[in-house]
Amino acid sequence: MSHAFVEDTAVEPRGEDRFAATVTDRWSIGGRPNGGYLMGIALTALGRRLRHPDPLTSTGHFLSPAEPGPAEVSVNVVKEGRSLATAQAVLSQDRRERLVVLATYGDLAGTVGPTRIMEPTPLPAPGLVSSLGRPHPFPIAERFVLELPPEQALAADGRPARTDGPAEFFGRIRFSDDMPAVTAALPLLVDAFPPAVFCLGMVGWTPTLELTVHTRARPEPGWPEPGWMVLRTKSRYLKNGLVEEDGELWDGTGQLVAQSRQLARILV
């Protein structure tokens, strides 16, 4: 079975360090492709170039808005050792750089070392409801199934019940085509909830300037309904139109698989 994410992040080699890609409109918000989706294309290209399988850390800087259509990804391997590799990927359209990603890859399957879980795996409160009702004007809403507490579901759909906070979403998420999560998809998943500032009534275009994702484990299926993951996103400080958003993503077995932080502009 084919999956939309795999299809829409596919790349074709155009030499050792260059790849052709197509940015589709299936992950767009107001005509602009989601930043985590664009990082997925860059990580797919890096994964084709490096022998290490997992992006342990990846940081994307968004230089200009991308558009649906042809794209090119150029890869520069900075250093490749036995256990780690660091490389840069630049996604361009019309000879204009849209996204720069710097990532360090390794092999999570072979990672060993001290482990201590300082906090138990959180679980959303019972009584979750489906969010982003259909039909929806944004194509990306068709790519996911979200479940949130009722008050947060209203905020996610642009109808906040209150505007005094907190700025936080905490619920369940899965791909609508039942695709199991892979490490290249984690930047998209942590960026899939609406911006947390929607809970404050600040509903509008919130472009990401920078997104960093730390991969902590390969996602594993779990629960009676495979594919579901738990996602929490939260913003604490809005200053001069710039806001940070922190994300935490757990798989169906309860293990933490990704943490993220991004900086975004508020344009409302």
Side-chain angles (χ1 to χ4, degrees):
M1 176 181 178
S2 62
H3 297 286
F5 176 82
V6 175
E7 295 173 356
D8 296 346
T9 58
V11 298
E12 291 293 333
R14 294 292 186 266
E16 185 180 23
D17 294 317
R18 305 188 82 84
F19 299 85
T22 299
V23 177
T24 78
D25 63 357
R26 294 199 286 184
W27 309 88
S28 294
I29 305 168
R32 298 299 187 187
N34 171 274
Y37 161 60
L38 296 174
M39 285 185 66
I41 296 176
L43 293 181
T44 299
L46 288 171
R48 294 282 296 271
R49 179 64 176 81
L50 302 173
R51 67 175 183 270
H52 304 78
D54 301 305
L56 305 183
T57 176
S58 55
T59 298
H61 287 267
F62 299 86
L63 309 182
S64 60
E67 300 176 350
E72 181 181 84
V73 182
S74 60
V75 172
N76 175 37
V77 178
V78 179
K79 181 180 180 180
E80 191 164 21
R82 288 185 297 177
S83 60
L84 296 173
T86 299
Q88 181 187 72
V90 179
L91 187 150
S92 303
Q93 291 182 306
D94 300 323
R95 299 183 180 180
R96 185 178 180 186
E97 295 179 349
R98 310 288 186 174
L99 167 67
V100 176
V101 174
L102 182 65
T104 294
Y105 275 63
D107 187 351
L108 287 167
T111 301
V112 296
T115 299
R116 180 176 297 180
I117 307 300
M118 277 70 80
E119 295 183 2
T121 302
L123 292 176
L128 302 183
V129 298
S130 295
S131 179
L132 301 177
R134 309 298 189 263
H136 198 277
F138 299 148
I140 192 172
E142 305 294 332
R143 307 272 69 85
F144 298 103
V145 179
L146 310 182
E147 290 187 350
L148 292 165
E151 188 172 287
Q152 293 184 15
L154 288 173
D157 214 19
R159 299 173 293 156
R162 52 185 297 179
T163 58
D164 57 350
E168 179 178 9
F169 288 119
F170 186 25
R172 300 204 306 167
I173 182 172
R174 66 174 173 84
F175 285 104
S176 59
D177 61 5
D178 296 320
M179 188 190 99
V182 294
T183 52
L186 296 182
L188 171 61
L189 285 164
V190 297
D191 197 32
F193 276 0
V197 291
F198 276 27
C199 297
L200 306 179
M202 297 181 180
V203 178
W205 189 35
T206 310
T208 299
L209 303 181
E210 180 265 341
L211 171 61
T212 294
V213 180
H214 295 164
T215 305
R216 309 307 301 269
R218 292 179 184 172
E220 299 288 344
W223 289 322
E225 306 166 89
W228 282 106
M229 308 188 82
V230 171
L231 175 61
R232 176 167 59 191
T233 60
K234 183 176 183 178
S235 293
R236 296 183 298 162
Y237 303 106
L238 169 62
K239 185 175 177 61
N240 298 326
L242 296 176
V243 64
E244 97 293 339
E245 182 173 289
D246 293 319
E248 300 170 355
L249 184 69
W250 293 264
D251 68 11
T253 69
Q255 71 170 340
L256 179 69
V257 296
Q259 294 172 282
S260 66
R261 167 162 281 200
Q262 62 177 289
L263 183 69
R265 297 175 62 195
I266 305 299
L267 302 176
V268 296

